[in-house]
Amino acid sequence: MNPLEKLKQLQEDARQKVREEKYKCPIRIYVGSATCENAAGAREVYNELVKLKQEKNYEHIYIGQTGCSGRCDKEPIVQVMMESSIPIKYCEMNPQKIRKVFEQHIENKKIIREWAL
Amino acid sequence: MINPKYAVSICAGAKCINKNKELIVALNEELDNADIADKVQVLECGCLGYCEDGPVMFIHPDNIMYTHVQKEDIREIVQEHLKNKRWVTRLILHRKQVANNFFPTFGDVAFFGKQYRITLRNCGVIDPESISDYLSFRGYEALAKVLTEYTPQGVIDEISASGLRGRGGGGFLTGKKWQLTRNIVDDEKYVICNADEGDPGAFMDRSAIEGDPHTILEGMIICGYAVGSHSGIVYIRAEYPLAIKRLEIAIAQAKEKNLLGNDILGSGFDFDIQLRLGAGAFVCGEETALINSIEGKRGMPVPRPPYPSERGLFGKSTVINNVETWANVPDIVLDGAVKFASLGTEKSKGTKVFALAGAVENTGLVEVQMGTTLREIIFDIGGGILGGRKFKAVQTGGPSGGCLPSQYLDTPIDYDSLAKAGSIMGSGGMIVMDDSTCMVDVAKYFLDFTQNESCGKCTPCREGTKRMLEILTRITQGKGVDGDIEKLERLGLMIKRASLCGLGKAAPNPVLSTIKNFREEYESHIKDKKCLAGVCRELMHYSVDTQKCIGCGACKRNCPVNCINGEMKHPHVIDETKCIHCGQCYDTCKFAAITRG
């Protein structure tokens, strides 16, 4: 196998893994996580989400992180993607707000428009 | 093919996944048949949210969502939409009108619409701590391609053909730089990533590393192969702990997958990358000072030539490039030099990342094609001036750059046009200023920074910046005298010509450019002792408007030097001889009875 073939194999494995871990989850939440996001409070939002997931006993939620998407004045940004609902980026999140997003958007499928980017 | 004509995202969510494989196969087949496979990128994406209507397919950049796509529909989509730009209306999502504003809710059009992302293509999209994420976005494919199909010289030819120029600020042709190192025969050579980002207000490199660390590593490994080096070093400032952590994770992951280390992907090529932490001295961003710092010496520049490509780290030939330059390399290899060279202006190809800050509505990281005008960045992407105020100037290039007034707003941004306008591209800081900014104060601020960061090795920079700062300070205190402006100009030009390294050579730029473009402001500071923007504290004079003053005594209580006198319920008076111009009374008065001027 030449390097390119080897890499294709690696990529295929990686895609498989990403698919299994993420794409198959009906609900996926991405929290921005760069120094700037963390300074704006992204860490607390992330922890709150993990706590909520345990509290409410949801198994099929993927909570992940991404780098900075460039919208500095709107940080922390949380992206919510779930089945049967368009993807939404919520901005200027904090633990209280994310709790509300969780209850409204994820549990009741109601998008909170005024917080969306 | 990172930025093809079309990108087709096929949903790989739980409900679409069953059909997704056969759709991808069919799509690739049809694209080949139609002979447009090189213009369309096929991607898998996570659930798009229209599960009842699956399988779904999303076409960028038209923002068209096709639903209930069956294998039999693919030919029509390819032939009609992708080839002839006619939408297949029967498949377009109709039920929910929201599809029409899909993008406004997903991102926001004004901010992201005018951007063109190469360096930041994965930032905010992938999980930076997962190599699987990067791999599934065509990660390390450029490296594998290079190792399989390219000779080292072939890589350099490709990079040269792309016209990529160093993104650290100097704008030296990257291909040429690599060629110089390749031409030197030596058993040991080094590849360095300069991540010592020191400009106040700039955070492009930090974000790029924190959002997508593997791209940087991939670029460096490709360069190692091209120039015949086996050792890479990332010089990064210790103030970036998260970026360091992510790089460490990325290096460990890449080693585990045999993408770094010995015998990369079975090709026989070895390359290793280490981190070196800098203590955050601005001058260490200068390449010779950076090399000294890595060697364990004091971070001071040495005269060039010899350039690092001849005698660099530990006396060996070395390639040094900025983070952003490295991030462009995998894209050029994957998409081809022709595609990259088609972006941007004649002499500056590709894109540039700017850290947009200051008095604009939308601050943030923006990546635009070279040749985009300042106006587009500030007013379209940036959303205009904060609070509807008036635009006054934009500062590009950090402390080494200059301030450009409104007549330069329509300048297309590239290395040469900015230099011609009296500023520089720099590493990409962009600070927007509104009419409440005092240009003398701005010049003083930047000079204060460079004067502090001057390493002290050469006299023009060490002494010259100090003297310039003294003059500027004097002017802002109302002690400026006739001839100060000329003195600043003379000193500035001298420092520019005589300094040893880039820091000194560029330090006078903020002063010289503000004198050139805002000379009348300097004059009003010196002659009239007035700061029209109301910034320079000591030029402010305060007095009480006896008509408005009701004698409440609030100003009197708040005055730190007790220079306000007056009885309760009678107009107060400020004793100018004792006043320190702090402005406390002005801020305290609820009746606007204190006048300032």
Side-chain angles (χ1 to χ4, degrees), chain B residues 102-157:
Chain B
F102 185 88
F103 254 70
T105 35
F106 193 65
D108 55 339
V109 171
F111 188 74
F112 292 107
K114 286 222 172 184
Q115 297 196 39
Y116 197 102
R117 296 195 157 197
I118 293 178
T119 314
L120 301 174
R121 61 190 179 275
N122 292 330
C123 289
V125 178
I126 65 168
D127 180 346
E129 294 183 14
S130 152
I131 195 170
S132 299
D133 265 34
Y134 183 64
L135 280 168
S136 65
F137 277 79
R138 303 186 84 203
Y140 288 107
E141 201 172 314
L143 173 64
K145 196 172 154 194
V146 159
L147 293 177
T148 314
E149 295 169 1
Y150 284 69
T151 59
Q153 186 58 46
V155 180
I156 292 179
D157 292 343

Side-chain angles (χ1 to χ4, degrees), chain A residues 67-82:
Chain A
C68 157
S69 65
R71 275 318 296 272
C72 305
D73 51 341
K74 301 272 187 198
E75 284 169 352
I77 291 175
V78 176
Q79 220 181 110
V80 179
M81 299 175 118
M82 58 189 290

Side-chain angles (χ1 to χ4, degrees), chain B residues 404 408 411 414-424 516:
Chain B
L404 303 176
Y408 291 104
T411 310
D414 67 19
Y415 292 98
D416 313 296
S417 67
L418 281 179
K420 218 171 130 198
S423 183
I424 60 162
K516 184 178 155 214

Side-chain angles (χ1 to χ4, degrees), chain A residues 48-107:
Chain A
E48 186 72 13
L49 275 171
V50 174
K51 214 168 87 192
L52 274 169
K53 181 182 166 180
Q54 283 169 352
E55 237 174 61
K56 310 219 170 187
N57 232 342
Y58 276 97
E59 250 178 58
H60 299 294
I61 293 189
Y62 175 84
I63 302 172
Q65 57 181 8
T66 67
C68 157
S69 65
R71 275 318 296 272
C72 305
D73 51 341
K74 301 272 187 198
E75 284 169 352
I77 291 175
V78 176
Q79 220 181 110
V80 179
M81 299 175 118
M82 58 189 290
E83 278 181 11
S84 311
S85 161
I86 54 167
I88 297 283
K89 278 182 177 169
Y90 285 113
C91 42
E92 294 174 332
M93 284 289 114
N94 60 32
Q96 290 80 32
K97 275 177 153 181
I98 200 71
R99 205 163 254 276
K100 187 127 184 250
V101 167
F102 201 92
E103 284 160 7
Q104 299 255 322
H105 187 147
I106 294 167
E107 295 185 319

Side-chain angles (χ1 to χ4, degrees), chain A residues 23 83, chain B residues 10-23 45-57:
Chain A
Y23 293 173
E83 278 181 11
Chain B
I10 302 184
C11 182
K15 290 195 180 157
C16 296
I17 186 105
N18 301 333
K19 292 272 180 72
N20 143 304
K21 266 268 141 53
E22 61 177 54
L23 288 181
C45 63
C47 180
L48 288 167
Y50 291 91
C51 303
E52 308 92 284
D53 300 312
V56 293
M57 193 180 268

